[in-house]
Coordinates of all heavy atoms in Angstrom, one line a residue:
M1 N -52.2 2.8 -67.0 CA -52.2 4.2 -66.6 C -51.5 4.3 -65.2 O -52.2 4.4 -64.2 CB -53.6 4.7 -66.5 CG -53.6 6.2 -66.3 SD -55.3 6.5 -66.7 CE -55.6 8.0 -66.0
S2 N -50.2 4.1 -65.2 CA -49.5 4.2 -63.9 C -48.9 5.5 -63.8 O -48.3 6.1 -64.7 CB -48.5 3.1 -63.9 OG -47.3 3.5 -64.5
T3 N -49.0 6.0 -62.6 CA -48.5 7.3 -62.3 C -47.3 7.1 -61.2 O -47.6 6.5 -60.2 CB -49.5 8.3 -61.6 OG1 -50.6 8.3 -62.5 CG2 -49.0 9.7 -61.5
A4 N -46.2 7.6 -61.6 CA -45.0 7.5 -60.6 C -45.1 8.6 -59.6 O -45.2 9.7 -59.9 CB -43.7 7.6 -61.4
M5 N -45.2 8.1 -58.4 CA -45.3 9.1 -57.3 C -44.0 9.0 -56.5 O -43.6 8.0 -56.0 CB -46.4 8.8 -56.3 CG -47.8 8.8 -57.0 SD -49.1 8.7 -55.9 CE -49.7 10.3 -55.9
N6 N -43.3 10.1 -56.5 CA -42.0 10.2 -55.8 C -42.2 11.2 -54.6 O -42.2 12.4 -54.8 CB -40.9 10.7 -56.7 CG -39.6 10.6 -56.1 OD1 -39.4 10.3 -54.9 ND2 -38.6 10.9 -56.9
F7 N -42.3 10.7 -53.4 CA -42.5 11.5 -52.2 C -41.2 12.1 -51.7 O -41.2 13.0 -50.9 CB -43.2 10.7 -51.1 CG -44.6 10.4 -51.5 CD1 -45.0 9.1 -51.8 CD2 -45.6 11.4 -51.5 CE1 -46.3 8.8 -52.2 CE2 -46.9 11.1 -51.8 CZ -47.2 9.8 -52.2
S8 N -40.1 11.5 -52.1 CA -38.8 12.0 -51.6 C -38.2 12.9 -52.6 O -37.1 12.6 -53.2 CB -37.9 10.9 -51.2 OG -37.6 10.1 -52.4
T9 N -38.8 14.0 -52.9 CA -38.2 15.0 -53.9 C -37.1 15.8 -53.3 O -36.5 16.5 -54.1 CB -39.4 15.8 -54.5 OG1 -40.0 16.5 -53.4 CG2 -40.4 15.0 -55.2
K10 N -36.9 15.9 -52.0 CA -35.9 16.7 -51.5 C -34.5 16.0 -51.8 O -34.4 14.8 -51.6 CB -36.0 16.8 -50.0 CG -37.2 17.6 -49.6 CD -37.3 17.7 -48.1 CE -38.5 18.5 -47.7 NZ -38.6 18.6 -46.2
S11 N -33.6 16.8 -52.2 CA -32.3 16.2 -52.4 C -31.3 16.5 -51.3 O -31.4 17.6 -50.7 CB -31.7 16.7 -53.8 OG -31.5 18.1 -53.7
F12 N -30.5 15.6 -51.0 CA -29.5 15.8 -49.9 C -28.3 16.5 -50.5 O -27.7 16.1 -51.5 CB -29.1 14.5 -49.3 CG -28.1 14.6 -48.3 CD1 -28.4 15.1 -47.0 CD2 -26.8 14.2 -48.5 CE1 -27.4 15.2 -46.0 CE2 -25.8 14.3 -47.6 CZ -26.1 14.8 -46.3
K13 N -27.9 17.6 -49.8 CA -26.7 18.3 -50.2 C -25.6 18.1 -49.1 O -25.8 18.5 -48.0 CB -26.9 19.8 -50.4 CG -27.8 20.1 -51.6 CD -27.9 21.5 -51.8 CE -28.9 21.8 -53.0 NZ -29.0 23.3 -53.2
A14 N -24.5 17.4 -49.5 CA -23.4 17.3 -48.5 C -22.7 18.6 -48.3 O -22.5 19.4 -49.3 CB -22.5 16.2 -49.1
R15 N -22.2 18.8 -47.1 CA -21.5 20.0 -46.9 C -20.3 19.6 -46.0 O -20.3 18.7 -45.2 CB -22.3 21.1 -46.2 CG -22.8 20.8 -44.8 CD -23.6 21.9 -44.3 NE -24.1 21.7 -43.0 CZ -23.4 22.0 -41.9 NH1 -22.3 22.6 -41.9 NH2 -23.9 21.7 -40.7
P16 N -19.1 20.3 -46.2 CA -17.9 19.9 -45.4 C -18.1 20.2 -43.9 O -19.0 21.0 -43.5 CB -16.9 20.8 -46.0 CG -17.6 22.0 -46.6 CD -18.9 21.4 -47.0
P17 N -17.3 19.6 -43.1 CA -17.4 19.8 -41.6 C -17.1 21.3 -41.3 O -16.4 22.0 -42.1 CB -16.4 18.9 -41.0 CG -15.9 18.0 -42.1 CD -16.3 18.6 -43.4
D18 N -17.7 21.8 -40.2 CA -17.5 23.2 -39.8 C -16.0 23.5 -39.6 O -15.6 24.6 -40.0 CB -18.3 23.5 -38.6 CG -19.8 23.5 -38.8 OD1 -20.2 23.7 -40.0 OD2 -20.5 23.3 -37.8
K19 N -15.3 22.6 -39.0 CA -13.9 22.9 -38.7 C -12.9 22.4 -39.7 O -11.7 22.4 -39.5 CB -13.5 22.3 -37.3 CG -14.3 22.9 -36.2 CD -13.9 24.2 -35.8 CE -14.6 24.7 -34.6 NZ -14.3 26.1 -34.3
G20 N -13.4 21.8 -40.8 CA -12.5 21.3 -41.8 C -12.1 19.9 -41.6 O -12.7 19.2 -40.7
A21 N -11.1 19.4 -42.3 CA -10.7 18.0 -42.2 C -9.9 17.8 -40.9 O -9.3 18.7 -40.3 CB -9.9 17.7 -43.4
F22 N -9.9 16.6 -40.4 CA -9.1 16.2 -39.3 C -8.2 15.0 -39.8 O -8.6 13.9 -39.6 CB -10.1 15.7 -38.2 CG -9.4 15.6 -36.8 CD1 -9.2 16.7 -36.1 CD2 -9.1 14.4 -36.3 CE1 -8.6 16.6 -34.8 CE2 -8.6 14.3 -35.0 CZ -8.3 15.4 -34.3
P23 N -7.1 15.4 -40.4 CA -6.3 14.4 -41.1 C -5.7 13.4 -40.1 O -5.5 13.7 -38.9 CB -5.2 15.2 -41.8 CG -5.2 16.5 -41.2 CD -6.5 16.7 -40.5
L24 N -5.4 12.2 -40.6 CA -4.8 11.1 -39.8 C -3.3 11.5 -39.5 O -2.7 12.2 -40.3 CB -4.9 9.8 -40.5 CG -6.3 9.2 -40.8 CD1 -6.2 8.0 -41.6 CD2 -7.0 9.0 -39.5
D25 N -2.8 11.0 -38.5 CA -1.4 11.3 -38.1 C -0.6 10.2 -38.7 O -0.1 9.3 -38.0 CB -1.4 11.3 -36.5 CG 0.0 11.6 -36.0 OD1 0.9 12.0 -36.8 OD2 0.2 11.5 -34.8
H26 N -0.3 10.3 -40.0 CA 0.4 9.2 -40.7 C 1.8 9.0 -40.2 O 2.3 7.9 -40.3 CB 0.4 9.5 -42.2 CG -0.9 9.4 -42.8 ND1 -1.6 8.2 -43.1 CD2 -1.8 10.4 -43.3 CE1 -2.7 8.4 -43.6 NE2 -2.9 9.7 -43.8
F27 N 2.4 10.0 -39.7 CA 3.8 9.9 -39.2 C 3.9 9.6 -37.8 O 5.0 9.6 -37.2 CB 4.6 11.2 -39.6 CG 4.6 11.5 -41.1 CD1 3.9 12.5 -41.6 CD2 5.3 10.6 -41.9 CE1 3.9 12.8 -43.0 CE2 5.3 10.9 -43.3 CZ 4.6 11.9 -43.8
G28 N 2.8 9.5 -37.1 CA 2.8 9.2 -35.7 C 3.4 10.2 -34.8 O 3.9 9.9 -33.7
E29 N 3.3 11.5 -35.2 CA 3.9 12.5 -34.4 C 3.2 12.7 -33.0 O 3.8 13.2 -32.0 CB 3.8 13.9 -35.1 CG 4.6 13.9 -36.4 CD 4.6 15.2 -37.1 OE1 5.1 16.2 -36.5 OE2 4.0 15.3 -38.1
C30 N 1.9 12.3 -32.9 CA 1.2 12.4 -31.6 C 0.8 11.1 -31.1 O -0.1 11.0 -30.2 CB 0.0 13.3 -31.8 SG 0.5 15.0 -32.3
A31 N 1.5 10.0 -31.5 CA 1.1 8.7 -31.1 C 1.3 8.4 -29.6 O 0.4 7.7 -29.0 CB 1.9 7.6 -31.9
A32 N 2.3 9.0 -29.1 CA 2.5 8.8 -27.6 C 1.4 9.4 -26.8 O 0.9 8.8 -25.8 CB 3.8 9.4 -27.2
F33 N 0.9 10.6 -27.2 CA -0.2 11.2 -26.5 C -1.5 10.4 -26.7 O -2.3 10.2 -25.7 CB -0.4 12.6 -27.0 CG 0.7 13.6 -26.6 CD1 1.7 13.9 -27.5 CD2 0.7 14.2 -25.4 CE1 2.7 14.8 -27.2 CE2 1.7 15.0 -25.0 CZ 2.7 15.3 -25.9
K34 N -1.7 9.9 -27.9 CA -2.9 9.1 -28.2 C -2.8 7.8 -27.3 O -3.9 7.4 -26.7 CB -2.9 8.7 -29.6 CG -4.1 7.8 -30.0 CD -4.0 7.3 -31.4 CE -2.9 6.3 -31.5 NZ -2.9 5.6 -32.8
E35 N -1.7 7.2 -27.2 CA -1.6 5.9 -26.4 C -1.8 6.2 -24.9 O -2.5 5.4 -24.2 CB -0.2 5.3 -26.6 CG -0.1 4.7 -28.0 CD -1.2 3.7 -28.3 OE1 -1.6 2.8 -27.5 OE2 -1.7 3.7 -29.5
Q36 N -1.3 7.3 -24.4 CA -1.6 7.7 -23.0 C -3.1 7.9 -22.8 O -3.6 7.4 -21.8 CB -0.9 9.0 -22.6 CG 0.6 8.8 -22.5 CD 1.3 10.1 -22.2 OE1 0.7 11.2 -22.2 NE2 2.6 10.0 -21.9
F37 N -3.8 8.5 -23.7 CA -5.2 8.7 -23.6 C -5.9 7.4 -23.6 O -6.8 7.1 -22.8 CB -5.7 9.7 -24.7 CG -7.2 9.8 -24.7 CD1 -7.8 10.5 -23.7 CD2 -7.9 9.3 -25.7 CE1 -9.2 10.7 -23.7 CE2 -9.3 9.4 -25.7 CZ -9.9 10.1 -24.7
L38 N -5.6 6.5 -24.6 CA -6.3 5.2 -24.7 C -6.0 4.4 -23.4 O -6.9 3.7 -23.0 CB -5.8 4.5 -26.0 CG -6.3 5.2 -27.3 CD1 -5.7 4.5 -28.5 CD2 -7.8 5.2 -27.3
E39 N -4.8 4.4 -22.9 CA -4.5 3.7 -21.7 C -5.3 4.2 -20.5 O -5.8 3.4 -19.7 CB -3.0 3.7 -21.4 CG -2.6 3.0 -20.1 CD -2.9 1.5 -20.2 OE1 -2.9 0.9 -21.3 OE2 -3.1 0.9 -19.1
C40 N -5.5 5.5 -20.4 CA -6.3 6.1 -19.4 C -7.8 5.6 -19.5 O -8.4 5.3 -18.5 CB -6.2 7.6 -19.5 SG -7.3 8.4 -18.2
L41 N -8.3 5.6 -20.7 CA -9.6 5.1 -21.0 C -9.8 3.6 -20.5 O -10.8 3.2 -19.9 CB -10.0 5.2 -22.4 CG -10.3 6.6 -23.0 CD1 -10.6 6.5 -24.4 CD2 -11.5 7.2 -22.2
R42 N -8.8 2.8 -20.8 CA -8.8 1.4 -20.4 C -8.8 1.3 -18.9 O -9.6 0.5 -18.3 CB -7.6 0.6 -21.0 CG -7.8 0.3 -22.5 CD -6.7 -0.7 -22.9 NE -5.5 0.0 -23.2 CZ -5.1 0.6 -24.3 NH1 -5.9 0.6 -25.3 NH2 -3.9 1.2 -24.4
Q43 N -8.0 2.1 -18.2 CA -7.9 2.0 -16.8 C -9.1 2.5 -16.1 O -9.5 2.1 -15.0 CB -6.6 2.7 -16.3 CG -5.3 2.0 -16.6 CD -4.1 2.8 -16.2 OE1 -4.2 3.9 -15.7 NE2 -3.0 2.2 -16.4
S44 N -9.8 3.5 -16.7 CA -10.9 4.1 -16.0 C -12.2 3.5 -16.5 O -13.3 4.0 -16.1 CB -10.9 5.6 -16.4 OG -11.2 5.8 -17.7
G45 N -12.2 2.4 -17.2 CA -13.4 1.8 -17.6 C -14.2 2.6 -18.6 O -15.4 2.7 -18.6
S46 N -13.4 3.2 -19.5 CA -14.0 4.1 -20.6 C -14.7 5.3 -20.1 O -15.6 5.9 -20.7 CB -14.9 3.3 -21.5 OG -14.2 2.3 -22.2
E47 N -14.3 5.8 -18.9 CA -14.8 7.0 -18.3 C -14.0 8.2 -18.9 O -12.9 8.5 -18.3 CB -14.8 7.0 -16.8 CG -15.3 8.2 -16.1 CD -16.8 8.5 -16.4 OE1 -17.6 7.5 -16.5 OE2 -17.1 9.6 -16.7
S48 N -14.5 8.8 -19.9 CA -13.7 9.9 -20.6 C -13.4 11.1 -19.8 O -12.4 11.8 -20.0 CB -14.3 10.2 -21.9 OG -15.6 10.8 -21.7
S49 N -14.3 11.4 -18.9 CA -14.0 12.6 -18.1 C -12.8 12.5 -17.2 O -12.1 13.5 -16.9 CB -15.3 12.9 -17.2 OG -15.5 11.9 -16.3
A50 N -12.4 11.3 -16.8 CA -11.2 11.1 -16.0 C -9.9 11.3 -16.9 O -8.9 11.5 -16.3 CB -11.2 9.7 -15.5
C51 N -10.1 11.3 -18.2 CA -8.9 11.4 -19.1 C -8.9 12.7 -19.9 O -8.1 12.8 -20.8 CB -9.0 10.2 -20.1 SG -9.1 8.6 -19.3
R52 N -9.6 13.7 -19.4 CA -9.7 14.9 -20.1 C -8.3 15.6 -20.2 O -8.0 16.2 -21.3 CB -10.7 15.9 -19.5 CG -12.1 15.4 -19.8 CD -13.2 16.3 -19.3 NE -13.2 17.5 -20.0 CZ -13.1 18.7 -19.4 NH1 -13.1 18.8 -18.1 NH2 -13.1 19.8 -20.2
P53 N -7.5 15.6 -19.2 CA -6.1 16.2 -19.3 C -5.3 15.6 -20.4 O -4.6 16.3 -21.2 CB -5.5 16.0 -17.9 CG -6.6 15.9 -17.0 CD -7.7 15.2 -17.8
R54 N -5.4 14.3 -20.6 CA -4.7 13.6 -21.6 C -5.3 13.9 -23.0 O -4.6 14.0 -24.0 CB -4.7 12.1 -21.4 CG -3.8 11.8 -20.2 CD -3.6 10.3 -20.0 NE -2.6 10.0 -19.0 CZ -2.9 9.7 -17.8 NH1 -4.2 9.7 -17.4 NH2 -2.0 9.4 -16.9
A55 N -6.6 14.1 -23.1 CA -7.2 14.4 -24.3 C -6.8 15.8 -24.7 O -6.5 16.1 -25.9 CB -8.7 14.4 -24.2
M56 N -6.7 16.7 -23.8 CA -6.2 18.1 -24.0 C -4.8 18.1 -24.5 O -4.4 18.8 -25.5 CB -6.3 19.0 -22.8 CG -6.0 20.4 -23.0 SD -6.2 21.5 -21.6 CE -4.9 21.0 -20.5
A57 N -3.9 17.3 -23.9 CA -2.5 17.2 -24.4 C -2.4 16.6 -25.8 O -1.6 17.1 -26.6 CB -1.7 16.3 -23.4
Y58 N -3.3 15.7 -26.1 CA -3.3 15.1 -27.5 C -3.7 16.1 -28.5 O -3.0 16.3 -29.5 CB -4.2 13.9 -27.5 CG -4.4 13.3 -28.9 CD1 -3.4 12.8 -29.6 CD2 -5.7 13.4 -29.5 CE1 -3.6 12.2 -30.9 CE2 -5.8 12.9 -30.8 CZ -4.8 12.3 -31.5 OH -5.0 11.8 -32.7
L59 N -4.7 16.9 -28.2 CA -5.2 17.9 -29.1 C -4.1 19.0 -29.3 O -3.9 19.6 -30.3 CB -6.5 18.5 -28.7 CG -7.7 17.5 -28.8 CD1 -9.0 18.1 -28.3 CD2 -7.9 17.1 -30.2
Q60 N -3.5 19.4 -28.1 CA -2.4 20.4 -28.2 C -1.3 19.9 -29.1 O -0.7 20.7 -29.9 CB -1.9 20.7 -26.8 CG -2.7 21.7 -26.1 CD -2.0 22.1 -24.8 OE1 -1.6 21.2 -24.0 NE2 -1.9 23.4 -24.6
C61 N -0.9 18.6 -29.0 CA 0.1 18.0 -29.8 C -0.3 18.2 -31.3 O 0.5 18.6 -32.1 CB 0.3 16.6 -29.5 SG 1.5 15.7 -30.6
R62 N -1.5 17.9 -31.6 CA -2.0 18.0 -33.0 C -1.9 19.4 -33.5 O -1.6 19.6 -34.7 CB -3.4 17.4 -33.1 CG -3.4 15.9 -33.0 CD -4.8 15.3 -33.3 NE -5.1 15.5 -34.7 CZ -5.0 14.6 -35.7 NH1 -4.5 13.4 -35.4 NH2 -5.4 14.9 -36.9
M63 N -2.2 20.4 -32.7 CA -2.2 21.7 -33.1 C -0.8 22.3 -33.3 O -0.6 23.2 -34.1 CB -3.0 22.6 -32.1 CG -4.5 22.4 -32.2 SD -5.4 23.6 -31.2 CE -5.2 22.9 -29.6
E64 N 0.1 21.8 -32.5 CA 1.5 22.3 -32.6 C 2.4 21.7 -33.7 O 3.4 22.2 -34.0 CB 2.2 22.0 -31.2 CG 1.6 22.8 -30.1 CD 2.2 22.3 -28.7 OE1 2.9 21.3 -28.7 OE2 1.8 23.0 -27.7
R65 N 2.0 20.6 -34.3 CA 2.8 19.9 -35.3 C 2.8 20.7 -36.6 O 1.8 21.3 -37.0 CB 2.3 18.5 -35.5 CG 2.5 17.6 -34.3 CD 4.0 17.7 -33.8 NE 4.2 16.9 -32.7 CZ 4.5 17.3 -31.5 NH1 4.6 18.6 -31.2 NH2 4.8 16.5 -30.5
R66 N 3.9 20.6 -37.2 CA 4.2 21.4 -38.5 C 3.4 20.8 -39.7 O 3.2 21.5 -40.7 CB 5.6 21.4 -38.8 CG 6.2 20.0 -39.0 CD 7.7 20.0 -39.3 NE 8.4 18.8 -39.0 CZ 8.2 17.7 -39.7 NH1 7.3 17.6 -40.6 NH2 8.8 16.6 -39.3
V67 N 2.9 19.6 -39.6 CA 2.2 19.0 -40.8 C 0.7 19.3 -40.7 O -0.1 18.7 -41.4 CB 2.4 17.5 -40.9 CG1 3.9 17.2 -41.2 CG2 2.0 16.8 -39.6
Q68 N 0.3 20.3 -39.9 CA -1.1 20.7 -39.8 C -2.0 19.6 -39.6 O -2.9 19.4 -40.3 CB -1.4 21.5 -41.0 CG -0.6 22.8 -41.2 CD -0.9 23.5 -42.5 OE1 -1.6 23.0 -43.3 NE2 -0.4 24.7 -42.6
L69 N -1.9 18.9 -38.4 CA -2.8 17.8 -38.1 C -4.1 18.4 -37.6 O -5.1 17.7 -37.6 CB -2.2 16.9 -37.0 CG -0.9 16.1 -37.4 CD1 -0.3 15.4 -36.2 CD2 -1.3 15.2 -38.5
M70 N -4.1 19.6 -37.2 CA -5.3 20.3 -36.7 C -5.1 21.8 -36.7 O -4.0 22.2 -36.4 CB -5.6 19.7 -35.3 CG -6.9 20.2 -34.7 SD -7.0 19.4 -33.1 CE -8.4 20.4 -32.5
A71 N -6.1 22.5 -37.1 CA -6.1 24.0 -37.0 C -5.9 24.4 -35.6 O -6.5 23.8 -34.7 CB -7.3 24.6 -37.7
N72 N -5.2 25.5 -35.4 CA -5.1 26.1 -34.0 C -6.4 26.6 -33.6 O -7.1 27.4 -34.3 CB -4.0 27.2 -34.0 CG -2.6 26.6 -34.0 OD1 -2.4 25.6 -33.4 ND2 -1.7 27.3 -34.6
E73 N -6.8 26.2 -32.4 CA -8.0 26.7 -31.8 C -7.7 26.9 -30.3 O -6.9 26.1 -29.7 CB -9.1 25.6 -31.8 CG -9.8 25.4 -33.2 CD -10.8 26.5 -33.4 OE1 -11.4 27.1 -32.5 OE2 -11.1 26.7 -34.6
P74 N -8.3 27.9 -29.7 CA -8.1 28.1 -28.3 C -8.7 26.9 -27.5 O -9.8 26.4 -27.9 CB -8.9 29.3 -27.9 CG -9.1 30.0 -29.2 CD -9.1 29.0 -30.3
L75 N -8.0 26.4 -26.5 CA -8.5 25.2 -25.8 C -9.8 25.5 -25.1 O -10.6 24.5 -24.9 CB -7.4 24.8 -24.8 CG -6.2 24.2 -25.4 CD1 -5.1 24.0 -24.4 CD2 -6.5 22.9 -26.1
E76 N -10.1 26.7 -24.8 CA -11.4 27.1 -24.2 C -12.5 26.7 -25.1 O -13.6 26.2 -24.7 CB -11.4 28.5 -23.8 CG -10.5 29.0 -22.8 CD -9.1 29.3 -23.3 OE1 -8.8 29.3 -24.5 OE2 -8.2 29.6 -22.5
K77 N -12.3 26.9 -26.4 CA -13.4 26.6 -27.4 C -13.5 25.2 -27.6 O -14.5 24.7 -28.2 CB -13.0 27.4 -28.7 CG -13.2 28.9 -28.7 CD -12.9 29.5 -30.0 CE -14.0 29.2 -31.0 NZ -13.8 29.9 -32.3
L78 N -12.5 24.4 -27.3 CA -12.6 22.9 -27.4 C -13.1 22.2 -26.2 O -13.1 21.0 -26.1 CB -11.2 22.4 -27.8 CG -10.6 22.9 -29.1 CD1 -9.2 22.4 -29.3 CD2 -11.5 22.4 -30.3
G79 N -13.5 23.0 -25.2 CA -14.2 22.4 -24.0 C -13.3 22.2 -22.8 O -13.6 21.4 -21.9
F80 N -12.1 22.8 -22.8 CA -11.1 22.6 -21.7 C -10.9 23.8 -20.9 O -10.0 23.9 -20.1 CB -9.8 22.1 -22.3 CG -9.8 20.8 -23.0 CD1 -9.8 20.8 -24.4 CD2 -10.0 19.6 -22.3 CE1 -9.9 19.6 -25.1 CE2 -10.0 18.4 -23.0 CZ -10.0 18.4 -24.4
K81 N -11.9 24.7 -20.9 CA -11.7 26.0 -20.1 C -11.6 25.6 -18.6 O -10.8 26.2 -17.9 CB -12.9 26.9 -20.3 CG -12.8 28.2 -19.6 CD -14.0 29.1 -20.0 CE -14.0 30.4 -19.3 NZ -12.9 30.8 -18.5
D82 N -12.4 24.7 -18.1 CA -12.3 24.4 -16.7 C -10.9 23.8 -16.3 O -10.4 24.1 -15.2 CB -13.4 23.4 -16.3 CG -13.3 22.1 -17.0 OD1 -12.9 22.1 -18.2 OD2 -13.6 21.0 -16.5
L83 N -10.3 23.0 -17.2 CA -8.9 22.5 -16.9 C -7.9 23.6 -16.9 O -6.9 23.6 -16.1 CB -8.6 21.4 -17.9 CG -9.3 20.1 -17.8 CD1 -8.9 19.2 -18.9 CD2 -9.2 19.5 -16.4
I84 N -8.1 24.6 -17.8 CA -7.1 25.7 -17.9 C -7.3 26.6 -16.7 O -6.3 27.1 -16.1 CB -7.3 26.5 -19.2 CG1 -7.0 25.5 -20.4 CG2 -6.5 27.7 -19.2 CD1 -7.4 26.1 -21.7
D85 N -8.5 26.8 -16.2 CA -8.8 27.7 -15.1 C -8.2 27.1 -13.8 O -7.8 27.8 -12.9 CB -10.3 28.0 -14.9 CG -10.8 28.9 -16.0 OD1 -9.9 29.6 -16.7 OD2 -12.0 29.0 -16.2
E86 N -8.3 25.8 -13.7 CA -7.8 25.1 -12.4 C -6.3 25.2 -12.3 O -5.8 25.4 -11.2 CB -8.2 23.6 -12.5 CG -9.7 23.3 -12.3 CD -10.0 21.9 -12.4 OE1 -9.1 21.0 -12.5 OE2 -11.2 21.5 -12.5
E87 N -5.6 25.0 -13.3 CA -4.1 25.0 -13.3 C -3.5 25.9 -14.3 O -3.1 25.5 -15.4 CB -3.6 23.6 -13.5 CG -4.2 22.6 -12.5 CD -3.8 21.2 -12.8 OE1 -2.8 21.0 -13.5 OE2 -4.5 20.3 -12.4
P88 N -3.5 27.2 -14.1 CA -3.1 28.1 -15.1 C -1.6 28.0 -15.5 O -1.2 28.2 -16.6 CB -3.4 29.5 -14.6 CG -3.6 29.3 -13.1 CD -4.0 27.9 -12.9
E89 N -0.8 27.6 -14.5 CA 0.7 27.5 -14.8 C 1.1 26.1 -15.3 O 2.2 25.9 -15.8 CB 1.5 28.0 -13.6 CG 1.5 27.0 -12.5 CD 0.3 27.1 -11.6 OE1 -0.5 28.0 -11.7 OE2 0.1 26.2 -10.8
A90 N 0.2 25.2 -15.1 CA 0.6 23.8 -15.5 C 0.3 23.6 -17.0 O -0.7 24.0 -17.5 CB -0.3 22.8 -14.7
K91 N 1.3 23.0 -17.6 CA 1.2 22.7 -19.0 C 1.2 21.2 -19.2 O 1.9 20.5 -18.4 CB 2.2 23.3 -19.8 CG 2.1 24.8 -19.8 CD 2.9 25.4 -21.0 CE 2.6 26.9 -21.0 NZ 2.9 27.5 -22.3
P92 N 0.6 20.6 -20.3 CA 0.7 19.2 -20.5 C 2.2 18.8 -20.7 O 3.0 19.5 -21.3 CB -0.1 18.9 -21.7 CG -0.7 20.2 -22.1 CD -0.2 21.3 -21.2
E93 N 2.5 17.6 -20.2 CA 3.9 17.2 -20.3 C 4.3 16.9 -21.8 O 3.4 16.5 -22.6 CB 4.1 15.9 -19.5 CG 3.2 14.7 -20.0 CD 3.4 13.6 -19.1 OE1 3.0 13.7 -17.9 OE2 3.8 12.5 -19.5
K94 N 5.5 17.2 -22.1 CA 6.0 17.0 -23.5 C 6.7 15.7 -23.5 O 7.3 15.2 -22.6 CB 7.0 18.1 -23.8 CG 6.5 19.5 -23.8 CD 5.7 19.8 -25.0 CE 5.2 21.2 -25.0 NZ 4.5 21.6 -26.1
L95 N 6.5 15.0 -24.6 CA 7.1 13.7 -24.8 C 8.3 13.8 -25.8 O 8.4 14.6 -26.6 CB 6.1 12.7 -25.4 CG 5.0 12.4 -24.4 CD1 4.1 11.4 -25.0 CD2 5.5 11.8 -23.1

């Protein structure tokens, strides 16, 4: 007389990310921006706050590319409002 007791009756339902997919940059369109960001991380001892301008430039590159590497989002919503407010006329350098 064995009774199977299953306490984990809740089932897990997977759901897609809120912002959708973040596809890989297969053609390397933003590789130069990525390398600049990674180099900054190496030089700063992985202190990401020191590399935020490079991170912003990388994300801008992804949003501007024709192969839709990333959906267009205002940079303020991505956490770069303070960088935009500091230098309103400065734009990330183009490669």
Side-chain angles (χ1 to χ4, degrees):
M1 193 163 159
S2 82
T3 308
M5 299 187 110
N6 188 357
F7 292 106
S8 61
T9 58
K10 293 181 182 179
S11 63
F12 176 74
K13 291 184 181 180
R15 64 181 182 92
D18 292 336
K19 298 287 184 182
F22 196 74
L24 297 175
D25 185 7
H26 291 289
F27 300 110
E29 295 184 67
C30 298
F33 291 99
K34 178 186 75 172
E35 289 304 319
Q36 287 178 353
F37 175 70
L38 292 174
E39 181 60 29
C40 179
L41 285 177
R42 282 189 283 273
Q43 290 177 354
S44 69
S46 298
E47 181 61 42
S48 62
S49 62
C51 305
R52 289 182 68 233
R54 289 188 175 96
M56 183 174 76
Y58 174 65
L59 292 175
Q60 276 186 310
C61 174
R62 289 188 64 98
M63 287 188 282
E64 292 171 356
R65 295 305 180 247
R66 58 180 161 67
V67 293
Q68 298 177 348
L69 294 174
M70 183 176 170
N72 282 325
E73 284 282 336
L75 291 169
E76 294 86 2
K77 289 180 74 176
L78 295 175
F80 296 106
K81 183 174 179 8
D82 59 325
L83 292 180
I84 295 167
D85 290 344
E86 287 176 8
E87 303 173 21
E89 71 280 348
K91 294 198 173 202
E93 60 187 64
K94 301 281 181 179
L95 295 179

